[in-house]
Amino acid sequence: MSTFSHLNAGGEANMVDVSYKAVTQREAIAEGYIYVSPSVIEQISDATIAKGDVFAVARIAGIQGAKRCSDLIPLCHPLALSKVDINFDIDSNDNRIKATCYCKLSGQTGVEMEALTGVNIALLTLFDMCKAIDPTMHIEGVRVLEKIGGKTGHWTHSQEANDAHHG
């Protein structure tokens, strides 16, 4: 039986002690998609969304989300992020927008949760800003693509792993 790192000897929720870990550079990239109507794609591309520049607002929201991860996820360590980068790519063929979040720091624990929180908040902000045009939008495919640092070193999400989870 495996030991859960977030439970103490009494089985109670517990924040993991990372004070013994070396400070190393840690990085993570997460991605996710919001599926939208062609009208949303068109209005974003033409900058005619009534609420303004949706990518600028969603980018700031995603950065704020990554910075506030420990306030949202129980037992998550508060981290001093040195870099958060949010990017968007419009895929008009599949009527979707891909959001990516890159997080970096020098610290004792990884930044996967911050990257996942950042990408989710960016996608939710896109939803909020476009819901009047298309209330049927949906978010899918949120995942960690890559992480660097810590005991596992450099890890990337492979297609084989994706197939194993969805096959």
Side-chain angles (χ1 to χ4, degrees):
M1 182 169 160
S2 67
T3 304
F4 293 103
S5 63
H6 284 77
L7 298 178
N8 65 16
E12 302 162 325
N14 181 50
M15 186 180 213
V16 174
D17 180 3
V18 296
S19 62
Y20 64 91
K21 292 183 174 184
V23 173
T24 61
Q25 183 171 297
R26 315 270 185 143
E27 301 173 56
I29 301 170
E31 74 173 1
Y33 296 87
I34 185 165
Y35 288 80
V36 301
S37 67
S39 179
V40 170
I41 298 278
E42 180 183 330
Q43 289 184 51
I44 289 174
S45 299
D46 295 343
T48 57
I49 301 269
K51 291 188 177 184
D53 184 343
V54 296
F55 289 153
V57 175
R59 181 172 289 112
I60 292 168
I63 291 168
Q64 286 298 103
K67 290 168 52 177
R68 300 289 305 271
C69 181
S70 66
D71 294 334
L72 301 168
I73 309 294
L75 309 178
C76 226
H77 293 86
L79 302 179
L81 296 169
S82 57
K83 178 70 176 166
V84 178
D85 192 22
I86 306 280
N87 289 295
F88 302 99
D89 291 306
I90 295 174
D91 178 356
S92 50
N93 291 331
D94 289 327
N95 293 319
R96 66 184 186 174
I97 299 166
K98 179 170 87 169
T100 57
C101 179
Y102 167 79
C103 292
K104 180 180 178 182
L105 63 71
S106 291
Q108 295 167 295
T109 190
V111 292
E112 298 91 335
M113 293 309 300
E114 288 71 16
L116 286 165
T117 302
V119 81
N120 273 292
I121 296 299
L123 290 167
L124 288 169
T125 301
L126 289 177
F127 190 102
D128 182 52
M129 295 190 74
C130 300
K131 67 186 177 213
I133 302 161
D134 179 8
T136 68
M137 294 177 292
H138 64 280
I139 294 169
E140 288 186 12
V142 175
R143 64 184 181 165
V144 175
L145 285 180
E146 183 175 12
K147 75 173 237 43
I148 298 171
K151 67 181 178 183
T152 57
H154 189 174
W155 175 91
T156 58
H157 193 284
S158 67
Q159 184 59 46
E160 293 80 24
N162 191 42
D163 292 344
H165 289 248
H166 302 290

